[in-house]
Structures are given as C-alpha cells and as structure tokens.
Amino acid sequence: MAQKEIKVALIGNPNTGKTSVFNQLTGLHQQVGNYPGITVEKKIGVCKLSEDVKATIIDLPGTYSLNASSIDENVVIELLMNRNDENFPDVVVVVTEVENLKRNLLLFTQIKDLELPTLLVVNMSDRMQLKGIELDIPFLESELKTSIALVSSRKNIGIEKIKNLILNYQNLSTEPCLNASSIDVEYFDKLRKAFPNQLLYKLWLVITQDVNFLNLERKELKSSFTKSHADLKRLQQKETIKRYQFINDTLKIGQKIDRSKASDFRAKLDRVLTHKIFGYVIFFVILFGIFQSIFEWSKYPMDFIDSSFANLASYAKNSLPAGEFTNLISEGIIPGIGGILIFIPQIAFLFLFISVLEESGYMSRVVFLMDKIMRRFGLSGKSVVPLISGTACAIPAIMSARNIENWKERLITILVTPFITCSARLPVYAILIALIIPDEKLFGFMSLQGLTLMILYLLGFGVAIFSAYILNKILNIKSKSYFVVEMPSYKIPMFKNVAINVLEKTRAFVFGAGKIILALSIVLWFLGSHGLGKNFKNAEQIVKQQLDTKNVVYSQKYLDDQVSAYKLENSFIGIIGKSIEPVIKPLGYDWKIGIAVVSSFAAREVFVGTLATIYSVGSHSDEEDTIKNRMAAEVHADGSKIFNFPTGISLLLFYAFAMQCVSTLAIVKKETNSWKWPIIQLVFMSGFAYLTALLAYQFLK
Ligand code: GDP
C-alpha cells in the first residue's frame, strides 16, 4: 500500500530547542542540503507516524519573526507563502520554549495569520518546576486557537503527542488568533477590496518584505498600495505592538511564574564568563584545550588511517595483475580515498567540542565577548573558532564557520581561514628553515629557527586579519547582522544532539567535498604518472644506459629511485613544472622546485615527498635528512647553491600564502555552494603568494 505523506514545516526562534525536537522526531533519518542558489542549510527528515503515514519534516532556519532581515528568514517566508513550492507544508509546527514564551509567541501569531493548520510546541517543560512556571494549557489553546504539545525534547516527553497532532492535522484550527486589519483599518479595507481572493496578511507581507515571492501580482500590488518606507515601518511597529499586547493579555491569565524560584546562578556565571579579563582567559584556556586535542588526539586515528591505506595500496598493487588498472587503484583511488578519510578525526573532534560549547550555552557568551573586537575586521565573534582551528587544518575550520549566521561575516571567515598556518605547512617549513636558518641561539636562549617558525605563524594570522579587513570594505554584500545576542540558559549538552551534529558534519565532508578531492587527486596522480614522449616510456632503459656509460655500480633500489625521478621529470607534471620555469625563475626557483610546487597543489606536504623523488632519495619522510642534504648540495650551473637564503625565504613566503590545497578548495566550493569563491580565493592567494615571494627574492638576492 502506498504510504501517505504529510509535509511538516518546523519553525521557531533560535535556541528554543527546535533542532532537538527535530532530532527526536527524525533520529538519523535526516538529509542536509542547501536551498537552491543560497548557502542556507536545508534539513529534511522523515518520521513515521503510523503504519501507512509518514511525515516529511523540514527544519527551517531559526527566525525571530516574519519581518525578514536575513536570508534565513526569507527562506521561511518564501516557503510559507508559496503554495507551489514542493515543500509547502500541510501543517506548521511552531516550537517555543517555556521560559521565553512571550517573545517566542510573536512569530507564532504571525504564522497563524497565514491560516495554515498550525500546532504549538512548548518545549523544555522539564524546566517549569525549577523556574516556578505554570501553564493553563486549555486556556492558552482556546486563546491562541491552536493545539498545544507540552514537550521536553531532552527527556523525550510529549514527542508522541506531536506525532499524533501531526497525524490528525485536519483537526487543527486554521483561524488567525488576532485580527491583522486592526493595524490600520482603512488601509487594510482597501487592500481587501482590491484583492478579494488573497489572504490579507500575505498581501501585507508581500508589501512590507523586500523579497520576490512567486505567484503574486507583486507589481500591481506595489504600484497601487505602496506607502512611503517610513509609513510602512511605522505600520510594522504597530503590528508588533498589537501582537505583544495580545500575547501579554493571554499570558497574564495562561501563565503563572513564581519569581522567587528564579535562581541567580546564571547571572553569576555570566558575569564571570563575559568578564573583561577572566572571560578572555577562560575562553583561551578552553580554545587551547580544543586545539591541543585536535592535534594530539587525532594524531593516533590519523596515523592509523594513513598506514592502513598505505598497506591497502601496496596489498592491491601486489595482489592485482600488474597494469594500468592496478596502478589507478593502488596509486590513484586508494590514496585518494585515504586522503579524504584522514580528515575525519580532526573534523569529528572539532565538531564534538563545538557542539558541546553550543549546546551548553557557552558559545553565546563567547560571541558576546569577542564580537566587538572581531567586528572591526568584518568578522564575527564566532569567527574565532574557525580561525584558531585553522592552525590544525583549514577543512574542519571552514566547516565550523557554519555557525555564523551572517552571510558576509561567514564568507569572509571562509575566505581568510586558509591563510592561517595549518599543520600541513609544517613539514615544508621545517625542512626549509633547517636549510636556510642557522641553528643558533639569539641572546643565548632564543632559537633562531624556532623564532622563524613563530614569525611564519604570526604572519599567517596577520594576513588573515588584514584580508578580512579589506574584504569587509570591498565585498558588497547586504546581510543584516543579528541584532539580538541571545543568552540562552546554561544546560548540560544533549548527547543525541551532539552525536547527530558530529555525524552529519563528517558525512557532509566525506560525501560533499570528498568527491571533489578524490576526482582531483586522481587527476594529479594521472598527470604525475603519465607522459607522452619516448623519454617517459623508456625511462628505465634510458636511466640504465646513462648509469652504464658512467660505469656506475648500482643496486636495484638505486635504479628504481633514479627511474622514478626520471619518470616524474618527464611526466605531464614534470612538463608543466619545466614549462613554468620562466614564471618562477624570478622567485629564485628552478624547474625541480617547479615540479614540487605543481604537484604539491594537491596538498602542501607533498612538496617534500616530490623533492625526494626528484632528487631520487626515496620518497619517505623519514629520509628527511637525506633530502635536506641533497637540497643543500643542489647547485645552479654556475656553482651557486639553489637553496640559498633568498630562495628559501621566497619559498617559505610562497607556502605561507599560496592556496596549495585541493581539499580546501573543495570544501569552500561545498560551503559557499559555488565555484566562484574558491576560484577567487585560489587566484588571490596564489597571486599574493607570488608577489611576496617575488619581492622577497628580488630584494634579498
Ligand atoms: P535550536 O537553536 O532551537 O535548534 O535549539 P537546540 O535544539 O540546539 O537547543 C538549544 C539548547 O536547548 C541546547 O542546549 C539543548 O540541549 C537545550 N534543549 C533542547 N531541548 C531541551 C529540553 O527539552 N529541555 C532542556 N532543559 N533543554 C533543552
């Protein structure tokens, strides 16, 4: 028998526990995507109501009212206004929270005016006793013309009632709970006469919102009914006042609060956590902890994934019949997949911490604390987390920018985060610093090499902040900031919410950005292991001949290394590396460095491995010392050192600033929902890197 489907829209103010209700209703049956064309997250889940009826629940972004001031709110309005939308709901579930009913009900009364079957969820009922709150549910139901489910999503109470009410949604009232036309009787009368077939409140929303709703005679409406902007604003204010009057009157009878029970624990904790000094100290201690664990704890699973995939690759290579297909699998696909999965531990740890901070209510205090400082640079208080996590890896860091509601601030955060020194830059920095900076102490205690490393970190951070400042000035994106910094009460995080969030972020990465990373790593593998000319095809023969004519006695391993080097030199990447020599010469690089730069486009740390192959010293990083010696011994035709101070500094700067990371590009594409931003980022970062490297080399040489 075909299943009947009821479409449900879940709507509510931020922090009412809407996500928790959604998680309780749908469990893991969730799909996360984006609304077409914009970057607001779209979550849809399925909930079984009875044997043959299921509910498709769309979790709309948290919003304070239907007076749209952000893209998020537009999403809500557009869905509720457009009967032709495939997700247009049969029933609207408005989630409110028992401690903030007054504010939460504003949105509810607006939605009621759209005359859709609407039910009211009053969540966090477990806190009623603690806070001394009593509700007269039958009275509220009759005043608000709705059915109410008193719910605690934390304790899983009342969820069945929601399901039942949805199942029987035909019984829900569609009557508005106050009369919209009382805002301005004369004006609304005129409207009603001109459009007798349209819902009055819908017309009013179309007139007052600056968004393009489909299927409404907007032009006509606008031309004959537009008032001045100031008049409209005045009417909107009047509407809000009317609604609050109604809500106040209703709650006066329907809600009793025993003030003596309200504890001041929260106020005390707030004072400490947002304190001018302690606030920052506590925050940085927490950040430091998070940062340490992303580095330290993820190391073990990452090493495990790394070695498992290396083993798997060599197993595939040895057990499959030799040939092109086997190479594709063992050198392209398996390392490609490994290169995606390796990020999972860091992503999972970061989001574990972030969800706990969010869930506990602490994150709002951080935003309050950091907002003023960050806003000067066009960032948000919430940008601190991505910027700091960027020191481990830009991938989870960029994903964590999702918490930033304001699109412009979020975009700027995404664009500048890759400037932060990530851990993949470390091996490159390490070997270059060892080559060009003497192992000496400044003032007898400061290691020069350590100091250089620190300067590189600071440089990354400085350029990130500076670019944010510039981007804030030049990006012409209108997106209003949330003017309310909400301070939800402190709560113990709900395990289910944290777990679902971690799983969902990991899944989004693996299946979203993962595809692009895999595709690009296969392309780079192909370019690095294939070539056209005779030199590439007959590499082994040629190398053997060369060695024989020089009368060199060699082992098989030595021969293999020489052949790999020769092959790489004549592969497509080799050809590209050589052909860009004129471009990179002014930076102090030769074609070998060119090849390393091109192939490390996949990931920065590949730089060292590629140089190892080119200098044919085996391609494992534990042979770093040999590579270092080889690099130190490399000379130009005139006998001067290749890796001298100017070239070294130029390379350090290049790697500090260039967007040498396919995975970051992939995640930026995923998070911004277009190729435009990653391409701009690539061009800008690489251009900036080129310029600074050029200046440094020309100045120092
Ligand atoms: P959203 O912003 O509306 O999606 O809210 P969330 O679902 O993220 O929840 C906000 C906070 O309220 C989190 O800390 C949740 O753990 C907490 N929360 C959610 N439901 C309940 C509940 O029924 N009782 C209590 N005490 N806390 C809850």
Side-chain angles (χ1 to χ4, degrees):
M1 202 169 88
Q3 277 217 328
K4 190 172 169 257
E5 181 191 353
I6 300 175
K7 289 188 180 144
V8 181
L10 201 60
I11 301 180
N13 289 185
N15 292 314
T16 50
K18 192 167 60 65
T19 310
S20 317
V21 172
F22 180 70
N23 286 344
Q24 289 291 13
L25 285 169
T26 61
L28 276 177
H29 306 285
Q30 301 184 2
Q31 260 187 338
V32 184
N34 272 322
Y35 290 93
I38 51 171
T39 44
V40 179
E41 212 168 70
K42 178 180 188 177
K43 274 201 213 164
I44 295 187
V46 176
C47 162
K48 195 169 165 183
L49 298 176
S50 74
E51 262 322 298
D52 51 356
V53 185
K54 63 171 184 173
T56 311
I57 304 177
I58 174 161
D59 182 20
L60 287 156
T63 166
Y64 290 101
S65 72
L66 289 186
N67 309 332
S69 65
S70 71
I71 336 176
D72 287 15
E73 284 164 358
N74 279 352
V75 166
V76 176
I77 300 173
E78 295 212 14
L79 179 71
L80 294 183
M81 303 273 280
N82 183 7
R83 276 190 187 276
N84 297 328
D85 191 307
E86 55 165 348
N87 292 313
F88 184 80
D90 298 308
V91 51
V92 182
V93 176
V94 181
V95 183
T96 57
E97 184 250 301
V98 77
E99 283 182 70
N100 286 304
L101 257 188
K102 183 173 151 188
R103 193 184 58 212
N104 296 165
L105 282 176
L106 176 74
L107 176 68
F108 173 80
T109 63
Q110 286 186 315
I111 288 172
K112 278 296 276 180
D113 283 0
L114 294 173
E115 302 189 8
L116 299 164
T118 305
L119 81 91
L120 179 65
V121 169
V122 179
N123 191 26
M124 307 204 192
S125 60
D126 52 297
R127 295 178 68 85
M128 287 171 73
Q129 212 184 359
L130 182 79
K131 296 281 165 179
I133 301 175
E134 278 175 46
L135 295 178
D136 182 346
I137 299 288
F139 175 80
L140 291 175
E141 281 184 329
S142 84
E143 281 301 296
L144 300 171
K145 308 216 168 46
T146 186
S147 300
I148 295 180
L150 196 58
V151 169
S152 163
S153 50
R154 171 173 298 248
K155 304 230 152 105
N156 203 2
I157 296 170
I159 301 293
E160 283 308 311
K161 169 123 195 228
I162 304 181
K163 289 188 190 169
N164 246 318
L165 288 171
I166 295 176
L167 186 63
N168 302 303
Y169 73 93
Q170 280 101 341
N171 301 337
L172 291 171
S173 158
T174 54
E175 224 183 312
C177 47
L178 47 15
N179 185 359
S181 53
S182 67
I183 302 171
D184 183 333
V185 179
E186 198 185 319
Y187 180 73
F188 275 76
D189 258 3
K190 255 173 46 190
L191 257 183
R192 197 194 328 263
K193 284 198 187 111
F195 300 92
N197 298 327
Q198 290 287 0
L199 203 63
L200 209 54
Y201 194 62
K202 258 194 186 181
L203 293 172
W204 172 238
L205 281 182
V206 173
I207 294 172
T208 47
Q209 308 302 313
D210 228 12
V211 273
N212 226 338
F213 297 116
L214 311 160
N215 310 313
L216 271 166
E217 316 80 341
R218 192 154 186 264
K219 254 203 200 133
E220 195 188 331
L221 184 68
K222 280 258 163 179
S223 61
S224 47
F225 284 93
T226 303
K227 294 190 156 219
S228 73
H229 187 70
D231 273 349
L232 284 180
K233 271 268 164 285
R234 194 179 50 77
L235 281 186
Q236 264 186 324
Q237 277 165 3
K238 213 168 150 195
E239 179 194 343
T240 310
I241 293 171
K242 285 250 171 234
R243 289 187 190 280
Y244 272 128
Q245 272 169 357
F246 167 76
I247 295 167
N248 276 338
D249 291 345
T250 310
L251 289 183
K252 224 178 255 167
I253 304 175
Q255 181 189 42
K256 298 218 162 24
I257 303 181
D258 178 357
R259 298 277 167 206
S260 66
K261 291 207 177 165
S263 93
D264 65 348
F265 166 71
R266 173 182 156 169
K268 277 191 194 141
L269 198 55
D270 270 356
R271 235 171 286 146
V272 179
L273 292 182
T274 58
H275 188 269
K276 261 185 277 175
I277 298 165
F278 301 127
Y280 293 102
V281 174
I282 295 171
F283 178 50
F284 280 103
V285 168
I286 292 179
L287 267 187
F288 182 75
I290 295 180
F291 172 48
Q292 280 289 312
S293 33
I294 300 175
F295 254 122
E296 288 299 316
W297 300 353
S298 354
K299 210 166 58 192
Y300 304 101
M302 285 173 87
D303 285 347
F304 175 74
I305 294 172
D306 201 22
S307 59
S308 309
F309 274 83
N311 290 339
L312 190 65
S314 64
Y315 175 78
K317 183 146 196 118
N318 295 332
S319 53
L320 293 171
E324 190 64 353
F325 182 64
T326 302
N327 288 346
L328 170 67
I329 290 186
S330 64
E331 292 166 13
I333 294 178
I334 294 180
I337 294 177
I340 299 164
L341 300 189
I342 193 112
F343 290 116
I344 289 181
Q346 286 185 335
I347 291 177
F349 275 126
L350 180 63
F351 281 101
L352 177 75
F353 290 116
I354 289 183
S355 339
V356 169
L357 293 188
E358 287 236 303
E359 278 272 307
S360 63
Y362 178 63
M363 199 61 109
S364 312
R365 275 75 189 177
V366 173
V367 174
F368 180 78
L369 198 66
M370 301 301 296
D371 228 34
K372 246 201 232 137
I373 308 175
M374 300 304 277
R375 217 166 274 286
R376 276 190 218 150
F377 303 102
L379 297 163
S380 128
K382 291 190 182 177
S383 310
V384 174
V385 174
L387 288 182
I388 300 285
S389 348
T391 46
C393 174
I395 312 287
I398 285 173
M399 288 173 74
S400 73
R402 270 193 211 177
N403 293 340
I404 304 169
E405 292 91 356
N406 179 305
W407 169 232
K408 186 173 174 184
E409 290 164 1
R410 182 173 156 207
L411 180 66
I412 295 180
T413 309
I414 291 176
L415 293 179
V416 306
T417 295
F419 275 126
I420 304 289
T421 303
C422 65
S423 52
R425 285 178 174 96
L426 272 181
V428 182
Y429 286 176
I431 202 156
L432 289 172
I433 288 177
L435 266 176
I436 58 160
I437 306 288
D439 188 7
E440 285 167 13
K441 296 259 185 322
L442 201 62
F443 310 123
F445 68 96
M446 256 195 281
S447 145
L448 261 186
Q449 298 189 335
L451 197 65
T452 314
L453 188 64
M454 197 181 88
I455 292 174
L456 284 164
Y457 268 92
L458 291 179
L459 208 58
F461 194 75
V463 172
I465 294 284
F466 177 70
S467 325
Y469 183 78
I470 301 290
L471 282 168
N472 185 35
K473 295 262 180 265
I474 58 174
L475 279 183
N476 188 16
I477 298 176
K478 261 215 271 178
S479 63
K480 274 192 209 158
S481 236
Y482 266 67
F483 40 90
V484 205
V485 179
E486 244 199 278
M487 292 279 197
S489 46
Y490 294 100
K491 299 183 188 79
I492 309 261
M494 275 165 73
F495 174 76
K496 192 166 180 169
N497 287 353
V498 174
I500 288 185
N501 192 22
V502 170
L503 273 175
E504 183 208 290
K505 291 294 182 318
T506 313
R507 195 161 61 179
F509 169 75
V510 172
F511 295 104
K515 279 184 285 199
I516 308 172
I517 298 176
L518 182 61
L520 289 176
S521 23
I522 291 177
V523 169
L524 280 168
W525 161 77
F526 179 84
L527 295 178
S529 59
H530 290 74
L532 280 179
K534 265 187 269 158
N535 285 354
F536 184 85
K537 268 195 210 116
N538 307 326
E540 184 156 351
Q541 240 176 325
I542 297 173
V543 173
K544 261 189 189 158
Q545 261 171 16
Q546 281 176 353
L547 292 175
D548 287 343
T549 46
K550 284 192 216 153
N551 277 330
V552 182
V553 186
Y554 53 83
S555 67
Q556 183 62 35
K557 172 155 189 325
Y558 182 77
L559 177 71
D560 287 348
D561 287 347
Q562 294 292 327
V563 173
S564 313
Y566 194 78
K567 273 193 152 170
L568 183 61
E569 188 186 330
N570 289 287
S571 70
F572 291 116
I573 282 195
I575 296 166
I576 300 173
K578 280 184 177 172
S579 57
I580 61 167
E581 198 171 13
V583 185
I584 56 174
K585 209 165 181 172
L587 310 186
Y589 312 162
D590 66 352
W591 62 266
K592 292 184 183 173
I593 301 180
I595 293 178
V597 167
V598 174
S599 50
S600 70
F601 180 63
R604 298 178 177 91
E605 66 271 26
V606 171
F607 178 78
V608 181
T610 307
L611 283 181
T613 312
I614 297 178
Y615 298 139
S616 61
V617 286
S619 55
H620 292 292
S621 46
D622 43 280
E623 297 182 36
E624 231 163 56
D625 230 26
T626 8
I627 303 173
K628 195 185 121 190
N629 292 339
R630 276 304 305 260
M631 285 167 79
E634 277 290 302
V635 285
H636 288 289
D638 63 5
S640 61
K641 272 192 180 177
I642 289 191
F643 289 95
N644 52 12
F645 187 71
T647 299
I649 293 290
S650 153
L651 266 174
L652 281 174
L653 289 174
F654 185 82
Y655 275 89
F657 301 136
M659 171 54 107
Q660 289 281 100
C661 180
V662 169
S663 312
T664 303
L665 289 174
I667 200 74
V668 174
K669 148 81 178 58
K670 167 109 207 325
E671 295 295 301
T672 60
N673 213 5
S674 93
W675 278 109
K676 176 177 156 194
W677 296 111
I679 289 173
I680 290 179
Q681 204 173 22
L682 173 67
V683 172
F684 176 75
M685 289 183 71
S686 306
F688 185 71
Y690 185 87
L691 271 181
T692 42
L694 178 73
L695 285 178
Y697 181 74
Q698 295 300 333
F699 186 70
L700 291 172
K701 81 170 176 185

